[in-house]
Amino acid sequence: MPFPIKICAVCSEEFELKPDKPGFANRCPACSEAETAEPATSSRMDTFERRHEKEANEARRQAMRDLLYRKDS
Ligand SMILES: [Zn+2]
């Protein structure tokens, strides 16, 4: 069964739209690869945000501990 031929929305090249093709259905495999390489930036951002959140949680825990100690004394 032949795959449908699509025109890439990015580079205007014809490509076969295979069912297991990663990325967007209107982009050729090469342009899909360029696109999937991008999330590395956002995942690095996620790591930064997660670290930031962890620091915020630790600060909150420290404040909570201070509050408890203050209550004890
Ligand atoms: Zn393309």
Side-chain angles (χ1 to χ4, degrees):
M1 189 180 107
F3 297 112
I5 300 295
K6 294 275 184 179
I7 305 290
C8 175
V10 180
C11 65
S12 301
E13 290 282 334
E14 285 188 354
F15 67 97
E16 287 185 334
L17 180 60
K18 294 175 182 174
D20 61 346
K21 191 192 86 63
F24 291 100
N26 61 350
R27 290 186 189 185
C28 71
C31 291
S32 296
E33 263 173 51
E35 189 69 26
T36 49
E38 231 172 274
T41 323
S42 73
S43 90
R44 208 183 303 141
M45 193 63 189
D46 283 350
T47 310
F48 174 77
E49 278 174 11
R50 220 173 293 137
R51 197 189 302 144
H52 192 81
E53 196 182 333
K54 193 177 166 238
E55 279 172 16
N57 281 340
E58 274 168 17
R60 209 175 300 144
R61 211 174 300 140
Q62 183 69 44
M64 203 78 131
R65 208 175 296 144
D66 288 349
L67 206 71
L68 286 172
Y69 279 139
R70 213 175 298 151
K71 211 182 273 178
D72 283 346
S73 60

